[in-house]
Amino acid sequence: MRKLHIMVHGTDFGFPLLYAGGFHNRTTAIRLGTHSHGEGVELTYVLKGNTGWQLEDDARSLLLQPGGTLSMVQPNVPHCGEQNVIRPCWLFWFIVDCRIDAEKAATGTPFSVREVMNLREILQKAGNCTVPVDSHFAFYVHRLIAALSDTSGNPWKEAEVRNLFSLVMMNCARFFSANSNRLDKDDFARRAAAYMQGRIGKRYRVGEAARECRVSPTAFCKRFKRETGQTPADYFQRLRLTEACRQIARERISLTEIAYRLGFSSSQHFSRVFKQYFGLSPREYRRIALGGTQKQS
Amino acid sequence: MRKLHIMVHGTDFGFPLLYAGGFHNRTTAIRLGTHSHGEGVELTYVLKGNTGWQLEDDARSLLLQPGGTLSMVQPNVPHCGEQNVIRPCWLFWFIVDCRIDAEKAATGTPFSVREVMNLREILQKAGNCTVPVDSHFAFYVHRLIAALSDTSGNPWKEAEVRNLFSLVMMNCARFFSANSNRLDKDDFARRAAAYMQGRIGKRYRVGEAARECRVSPTAFCKRFKRETGQTPADYFQRLRLTEACRQIARERISLTEIAYRLGFSSSQHFSRVFKQYFGLSPREYRRIALGGTQKQS
């Protein structure tokens, strides 16, 4: 895919339910500091690569977002890239307007006024969270990006964008309505995350984690995967690397010291894993996080 | 896919632009005699297998419709299955309402009133014809059939059906607007078809056909494929077999005699080719065409 950087407003093509939306496929990391959107809920979908949001006032503090999941941040919730950095990735995002009245919001959509109200209610009720999506969703998003970047003078471009955006939003409502039911159920995820967090710099043990969560080790692994979309090992690795980001960005200690604190066998090993995971080295990360710019790759 | 037989009206789910639509995946042939639709243009898409329409008052008399193409029949044009038979196939069809006013027709769609007027105008201007489609179209149709047959109580079912039907219609307008430009250009297809028609029962010769159409043999084959979606050899075979259908259904002569008249080397060879092509034997075809029923396969 050629380099793309798209941003549109729904009102540009008769679709006020969309406050704004966009896409970029950057091969370099960028700074994105704390900000919030008063206009509505923001949905973000990573088509390729990895990135994440950090929320200011949320217990979980980070919306994990490995490639292929969908995350949502509620109106007026301050958030930023992980340690103010958006990693190189293919990022699609849009904001569903939650201020304008439902009748106006239904303009240019196939939705009834009632359906628009339901859609916005489901999104707002689900809170700040991340859900897995299906392959059909990925297809619609790809088609939508193709329509948005179409410069052939296609007379159906605007209608196609409205149509595909509606389809994408409707599918988001479906995914999040399934999710919001699940999140209310119990505190398994919270306990598991707390245990993992306490083990950073040491090793985590599945048996111990399972006891902490009052389930068998087999049930722990299965349920962990279902609830977070990741295996415990992947999750733990990510947690360590996220903590590495935090220390790189905030503390003026050497990268070797950070590698040691987080239980990596050497600074070379740390660098290799970090680069594999984030697409840039700890050194480059420090430069960007502290306000420098990254060389074009 | 499980056996499906779906038929809906657009007014059932707040989508009056759709007069009616449906899908079936039959494994047996059925009779479908001459009829017409006053409500609007009928679009038909074969997902799997082959079938075709015969038009009463059209020079080309048959809309070829091999799997993967889209055909259209204008309002009030009498048509039937080939020799009154619809072969076993996966058939998706719908009728775009051309009577109701555009403002009403835009209800439940992402289209503006202007866009609905354009859409209907393009479809009516393109006449009775067949166009190739792209793989995205196939995906949308598959998703639409899945939505139509969804019995899970999904609260978004109606919105999804409206959304996907709109997307399908919009893509039809794109395909047919490209097509209508092409058809006006010249009479290549007419000349080629007339030559082929005159050779039934004999052999056709590419060199001769090319001279008839005033192009080189290479250009003839290339252009023929582009305009009809088939090679000259496939087209000729289909023409012979269609003529076979006509004779089987209308004349009380033996199948052996028909095989001989149409230049097949033996009645066994004729039967084998016929069955391969139509999914039923000449004998079964005669029974259905003359008003009998086919055994369930």
Side-chain angles (χ1 to χ4, degrees):
Chain A
M1 193 191 257
R2 67 180 197 278
K3 276 267 178 98
L4 285 177
H5 194 154
I6 302 164
M7 176 170 167
V8 296
H9 283 86
T11 48
D12 298 342
F13 45 93
F15 189 61
L17 178 56
L18 178 79
Y19 171 67
F23 172 74
H24 73 238
N25 52 358
R26 287 184 202 278
T27 52
T28 55
I30 52 162
R31 268 188 77 82
L32 183 60
T34 303
H35 65 288
S36 65
H37 307 286
E39 302 84 7
V41 292
E42 180 175 31
L43 291 112
T44 325
Y45 176 63
V46 177
L47 287 81
K48 213 170 178 180
N50 262 285
T51 197
W53 299 117
Q54 214 170 319
L55 307 184
E56 212 163 61
D57 303 313
D58 189 278
R60 281 169 302 167
S61 90
L62 186 70
L63 281 177
L64 299 176
Q65 193 172 271
T69 64
L70 179 68
S71 81
M72 181 162 60
V73 176
Q74 294 298 314
N76 299 311
V77 171
H79 58 288
C80 60
E82 287 172 285
Q83 309 304 324
N84 298 320
V85 173
I86 298 279
R87 280 180 263 153
C89 66
W90 290 22
L91 187 73
F92 170 69
W93 62 275
F94 61 96
I95 297 170
V96 177
D97 201 307
C98 292
R99 305 160 309 171
I100 54 170
D101 74 274
E103 195 156 343
K104 186 176 171 199
T107 313
T109 76
F111 303 128
S112 66
V113 174
R114 184 70 246 159
E115 284 164 343
V116 166
M117 289 166 73
N118 283 350
L119 186 134
R120 296 200 295 198
E121 197 185 315
I122 287 167
L123 296 182
Q124 290 186 84
K125 223 172 120 187
N128 306 309
C129 61
T130 300
V131 288
V133 299
D134 59 27
S135 61
H136 308 139
F137 184 80
F139 181 85
Y140 296 142
V141 171
H142 275 280
R143 293 309 303 153
L144 177 51
I145 293 165
L148 284 168
S149 58
D150 180 1
T151 53
S152 71
N154 167 15
W156 294 100
K157 175 176 169 168
E158 293 193 2
E160 193 167 12
V161 167
R162 288 196 299 271
N163 214 323
L164 286 164
F165 249 125
S166 300
L167 208 46
V168 163
M169 288 181 184
M170 205 202 70
N171 275 283
C172 289
R174 276 183 41 223
F175 298 138
F176 283 110
S177 91
N179 187 61
S180 62
N181 299 339
R182 207 181 58 203
L183 280 183
D184 298 335
K185 266 188 207 153
D186 67 288
D187 57 0
F188 171 87
R190 200 183 310 270
R191 280 173 188 273
Y195 168 80
M196 295 281 202
Q197 191 76 45
R199 301 298 298 176
I200 289 181
K202 300 167 205 158
R203 289 194 172 181
Y204 84 95
R205 291 189 169 74
V206 170
E208 222 170 71
R211 265 198 304 284
E212 205 67 38
C213 296
R214 295 160 196 176
V215 294
S216 76
T218 315
F220 175 81
C221 291
K222 219 165 150 184
R223 186 150 167 202
F224 195 96
K225 181 83 206 280
R226 197 177 62 225
E227 306 238 339
T228 68
Q230 299 167 86
T231 65
D234 286 343
Y235 182 90
F236 188 69
Q237 184 73 300
R238 179 169 191 123
L239 214 57
R240 283 210 297 181
L241 292 169
T242 303
E243 175 58 21
C245 287
R246 202 192 60 75
Q247 298 191 9
I248 290 170
R250 300 215 176 142
E251 299 174 36
R252 304 300 283 156
I253 55 172
S254 76
L255 298 177
T256 310
E257 171 69 15
I258 292 171
Y260 172 75
R261 282 189 191 179
L262 295 174
F264 287 92
S265 58
S266 69
S267 69
Q268 286 75 21
H269 179 222
F270 169 58
S271 271
R272 198 169 58 246
V273 172
F274 191 98
K275 179 144 194 182
Q276 209 168 26
Y277 192 80
F278 289 116
L280 67 174
S281 72
R283 202 168 302 282
E284 290 172 307
Y285 195 92
R286 174 164 271 171
R287 191 170 54 242
I288 296 167
L290 297 178
T293 55
Q294 192 194 15
K295 286 197 291 280
Q296 292 283 318
S297 69
Chain B
M1 193 191 258
R2 68 180 196 280
K3 276 266 178 103
L4 285 176
H5 194 155
I6 302 163
M7 177 169 166
V8 295
H9 282 88
T11 47
D12 298 343
F13 45 93
F15 188 62
L17 178 56
L18 179 78
Y19 170 67
F23 172 74
H24 73 237
N25 53 358
R26 289 185 201 277
T27 53
T28 54
I30 52 162
R31 266 188 77 82
L32 184 61
T34 303
H35 64 288
S36 65
H37 307 286
E39 303 84 7
V41 291
E42 180 175 30
L43 291 112
T44 325
Y45 177 63
V46 177
L47 288 80
K48 215 172 176 176
N50 263 285
T51 196
W53 298 118
Q54 213 170 319
L55 307 184
E56 211 164 61
D57 303 315
D58 189 277
R60 280 168 301 165
S61 89
L62 185 71
L63 281 176
L64 299 176
Q65 193 173 270
T69 63
L70 179 68
S71 80
M72 182 163 60
V73 176
Q74 294 297 316
N76 298 313
V77 171
H79 57 290
C80 59
E82 288 172 284
Q83 309 302 324
N84 298 321
V85 173
I86 298 278
R87 280 180 264 154
C89 65
W90 291 22
L91 188 72
F92 170 69
W93 62 276
F94 61 95
I95 296 170
V96 177
D97 201 308
C98 293
R99 303 160 309 170
I100 55 169
D101 75 274
E103 197 157 340
K104 186 176 172 200
T107 313
T109 76
F111 303 127
S112 66
V113 174
R114 184 69 247 161
E115 283 163 344
V116 165
M117 289 166 72
N118 283 351
L119 186 135
R120 296 199 295 198
E121 197 185 315
I122 287 167
L123 295 182
Q124 291 186 83
K125 221 172 121 187
N128 306 309
C129 61
T130 300
V131 288
V133 300
D134 59 27
S135 61
H136 307 139
F137 184 79
F139 181 85
Y140 295 142
V141 171
H142 274 280
R143 295 309 303 154
L144 178 51
I145 292 164
L148 284 168
S149 58
D150 180 2
T151 52
S152 70
N154 167 16
W156 294 99
K157 175 176 167 168
E158 292 193 2
E160 194 167 10
V161 167
R162 289 196 296 271
N163 214 322
L164 286 164
F165 249 127
S166 301
L167 208 46
V168 164
M169 287 181 184
M170 203 201 72
N171 276 283
C172 289
R174 276 182 43 222
F175 298 139
F176 282 111
S177 91
N179 187 60
S180 63
N181 298 338
R182 209 181 57 205
L183 280 183
D184 298 335
K185 266 187 206 153
D186 67 287
D187 57 357
F188 172 87
R190 199 183 311 271
R191 280 173 187 273
Y195 170 78
M196 295 283 202
Q197 192 75 45
R199 302 297 296 177
I200 290 180
K202 300 168 205 157
R203 290 194 171 181
Y204 83 96
R205 291 187 170 76
V206 170
E208 220 170 74
R211 264 196 307 283
E212 204 67 38
C213 297
R214 295 160 195 176
V215 294
S216 75
T218 315
F220 175 80
C221 292
K222 219 165 150 182
R223 187 150 167 201
F224 195 95
K225 180 83 207 282
R226 197 177 64 225
E227 306 238 338
T228 67
Q230 299 167 89
T231 63
D234 287 344
Y235 182 91
F236 188 68
Q237 183 73 299
R238 176 168 192 123
L239 215 57
R240 283 210 295 180
L241 291 168
T242 304
E243 175 57 22
C245 287
R246 201 191 62 74
Q247 297 191 11
I248 290 171
R250 301 212 176 146
E251 300 175 35
R252 306 298 285 155
I253 54 172
S254 75
L255 299 176
T256 310
E257 171 68 15
I258 293 173
Y260 172 75
R261 281 190 192 179
L262 295 174
F264 288 91
S265 58
S266 69
S267 68
Q268 286 75 22
H269 179 222
F270 169 56
S271 271
R272 198 169 58 245
V273 171
F274 191 98
K275 180 144 195 182
Q276 209 170 24
Y277 193 79
F278 289 115
L280 66 173
S281 72
R283 202 168 303 281
E284 289 171 308
Y285 195 91
R286 175 164 270 173
R287 192 168 55 243
I288 296 168
L290 297 179
T293 55
Q294 193 196 13
K295 285 198 294 275
Q296 290 283 317
S297 69

